[in-house]
């Protein structure tokens, strides 16, 4: 695991985008594993700029997203399909037919999870998987558990997540209670993994992920077992690691 220092969110975003850009340049028909949330927004902006400048061509790339809420259609502004279209896909020249995301409208969870695993496998696997990290160490929707979930599966959202999402929906009954997510095995099968983190509230979990034991109660700790993981995190997110294990961080200014 390599852990690269960035001064702030913007530098984290530029570094992460440069690593993804390198993948697209070196392998124009690569498979990009993508994430939603606030962490990747700056990275996606930088990739869009790279495309607009003529430096990046996504026409032969494919994409596979980590997760999607159950029950939401692609045009629902809370769906991850909508997020990806609005924040990346519509701004670059990726062929939408080559983008993949679990189908939240398929009520048959078993069939949908099987279909999604087969779709990712048919792409030949993910070349570079972009990840954010939850405060509790979740990656995708793989929440702390007693064991590592393997393939794509359906998760029941915690009451805390459901309550937090209520503000985005007109009616409480419209708030999703379940989501489909790639499993830990699917994520770990990516050839390269790039995890980004920003902000002091991520600092304790970044330390646990990188320097703590590998346990399913901290799902991201499993990344220590992958042989090509790069973490790009900003100074605030690295603050605990820099204090307790500074030798693990590359590029930090000398104290
Ligand atoms: C998003 C996802 C989540 C987020 C994580 C961090 O597709 O799978 O695991 O990466 O919750 O979210 P942010 O970036 O909003 O802090």
């Amino acid at each position: 695991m390599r852990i690269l220092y960035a001064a702030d969110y913007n530098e984290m975003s530029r570094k992460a985008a440069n690593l993804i850009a390198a993948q697209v340049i070196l392998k124009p028909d690569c498979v990009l594993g993508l994430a939603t949330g606030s962490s990747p927004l700056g990275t996606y902006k930088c990739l869009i700029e790279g495309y607009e400048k003529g430096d990046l061509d996504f026409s032969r790339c494919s994409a596979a997203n980590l997760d999607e809420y159950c029950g939401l259609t692609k045009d629902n502004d809370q769906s991850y399909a909508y997020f990806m279209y609005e924040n990346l896909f519509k701004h670059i020249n990726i062929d939408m037919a080559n983008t993949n995301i679990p189908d939240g409208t398929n009520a048959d969870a078993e069939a949908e999870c099987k279909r999604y695993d087969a779709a990712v496998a048919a792409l030949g696997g993910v070349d570079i998987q972009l990840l954010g990290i939850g405060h509790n160490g979740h990656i995708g929707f793989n929440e702390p558990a007693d064991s590592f979930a393997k393939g794509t599966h359906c998760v029941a959202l915690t009451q805390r997540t459901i309550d937090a999402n209520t503000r985005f929906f007109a009616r409480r009954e419209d708030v999703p209670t379940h989501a489909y997510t790639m499993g830990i095995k699917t994520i770990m099968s990516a050839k390269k993994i790039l995890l980004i983190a920003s902000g002091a509230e991520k600092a304790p979990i970044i330390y646990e992920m990188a320097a703590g034991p590998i346990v399913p109660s901290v799902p991201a700790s499993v990344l220590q077992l992958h042989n090509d993981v790069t973490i790009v995190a900003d100074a605030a997110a690295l603050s605990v690691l820099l204090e307790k294990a500074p030798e693990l961080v590359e590029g930090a200014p000398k104290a």
Side-chain angles (χ1 to χ4, degrees):
M1 178 179 283
R2 294 188 62 181
I3 305 175
L4 308 184
Y5 172 94
D8 54 21
Y9 181 85
N10 288 338
E11 191 179 318
M12 175 200 79
S13 302
R14 287 200 305 277
K15 283 188 171 167
N18 283 338
L19 293 171
I20 296 172
Q23 176 71 72
V24 172
I25 291 166
L26 290 170
K27 188 178 176 199
D29 59 349
C30 66
V31 180
L32 302 173
L34 300 175
T36 60
S38 52
S39 305
L41 282 173
T43 305
Y44 293 157
K45 266 200 178 136
C46 295
L47 290 174
I48 294 165
E49 278 164 27
Y51 166 69
E52 286 171 348
K53 277 196 230 151
D55 290 341
L56 291 176
D57 175 9
F58 295 90
S59 61
R60 294 170 60 203
C61 293
S62 307
N65 262 81
L66 283 168
D67 41 19
E68 179 61 285
Y69 287 120
C70 296
L72 300 192
T73 54
K74 285 187 170 62
D75 57 357
N76 185 308
D77 63 4
Q78 294 306 314
S79 75
Y80 287 171
Y82 186 93
F83 175 102
M84 288 310 302
Y85 186 70
E86 286 301 314
N87 292 299
L88 183 63
F89 297 153
K90 80 173 187 190
H91 304 284
I92 60 175
N93 65 339
I94 196 164
D95 180 346
M96 285 305 291
N98 294 335
T99 65
N100 296 271
I101 191 156
D103 177 2
T105 63
N106 187 351
D108 184 341
E110 205 184 315
E112 179 54 22
C113 294
K114 252 196 185 158
R115 182 200 70 80
Y116 198 64
D117 277 339
V120 176
L123 295 172
V126 169
D127 287 296
I128 185 166
Q129 176 67 57
L130 179 65
L131 297 175
I133 182 169
H135 303 119
N136 59 3
H138 74 218
I139 46 178
F141 265 120
N142 294 279
E143 298 289 354
D146 296 333
S147 61
F148 291 112
K150 297 188 184 102
T152 301
H153 57 288
C154 182
V155 288
L157 303 179
T158 61
Q159 195 56 46
R160 210 174 139 199
T161 305
I162 296 170
D163 291 345
N165 285 344
T166 305
R167 66 186 192 281
F168 300 121
F169 293 86
R171 298 176 317 163
R172 203 177 166 86
E173 57 267 35
D174 295 336
V175 185
T177 56
H178 289 76
Y180 292 131
T181 182
M182 277 186 188
I184 294 291
K185 185 175 170 201
T186 332
I187 293 172
M188 290 290 282
S189 303
K191 294 175 190 92
K192 289 185 171 61
I193 294 180
L194 169 60
L195 183 144
I196 53 178
S198 168
E201 68 283 6
K202 299 277 171 80
I205 200 67
I206 288 293
Y207 173 74
E208 276 189 66
M209 173 201 68
I214 298 163
V215 283
S217 54
V218 182
S221 64
V222 76
L223 299 177
Q224 293 177 43
L225 296 175
H226 194 284
N227 62 15
D228 194 345
V229 176
T230 306
I231 313 291
V232 182
D234 67 11
L238 289 172
S239 54
V240 177
L241 199 59
L242 283 170
E243 193 189 312
K244 296 190 179 172
E247 69 284 0
L248 295 181
V249 182
E250 294 177 46
K254 296 272 171 275

